Amino acid sequence: MEARQDPTDGEGTKYEGVITAFQPPVVFAFREVDDLLRIELQNTSDGCRMTFEHTFDDWSWASATAAGWHRCLDALGMMVNKLPPEWPDNGTELREFYREAFDSN
């Protein structure tokens, strides 16, 4: 499947990806340059479980990547709960949080 999507991260950065798997409403996967991303939903007895994978080669980007997805998933939680998504100015703090978390492992 060759389809394109063009999201933004709330900090002004735009991304372009190629959709590699699309099985609504269960699977959405795409490639952005060399990164592979996959989101799968599974019904559970108490709701829904989302499995999210982001595969990339450059470990130096791990804390920034985790912080970016943290912000995106926070916004998704707001939308799921029928609230307007907000982008608090917490990118710097989240990058530091994940840098420390990854360094301790």
Side-chain angles (χ1 to χ4, degrees):
M1 167 186 297
E2 181 75 20
R4 297 202 172 271
Q5 46 92 27
D6 186 22
T8 179
D9 66 359
E11 292 184 331
T13 306
K14 284 196 156 197
Y15 301 90
E16 182 178 301
V18 175
I19 297 170
T20 58
F22 186 62
Q23 300 165 346
V26 181
V27 177
F28 176 61
F30 64 97
R31 175 179 44 79
E32 182 209 4
V33 186
D34 293 329
D35 292 12
L36 301 173
L37 295 100
R38 184 175 183 87
I39 302 165
E40 290 191 38
L41 301 177
Q42 177 185 21
N43 288 328
T44 64
S45 60
D46 60 345
C48 178
R49 173 179 295 127
M50 181 176 82
T51 302
F52 178 85
E53 298 175 9
H54 184 165
T55 305
F56 56 96
D57 292 332
D58 189 349
W59 179 251
S60 68
W61 280 94
S63 61
T65 300
W69 283 117
H70 186 127
R71 290 167 47 83
C72 289
L73 294 171
D74 280 351
L76 175 62
M78 291 175 219
M79 289 185 282
V80 165
N81 289 296
K82 299 181 180 172
L83 300 170
E86 296 180 15
W87 295 95
D89 188 15
N90 63 352
T92 301
E93 292 85 6
L94 287 170
R95 285 186 287 276
E96 182 60 29
F97 170 82
Y98 284 109
R99 189 175 303 109
E100 290 176 11
F102 295 152
D103 285 346
S104 66
N105 289 324

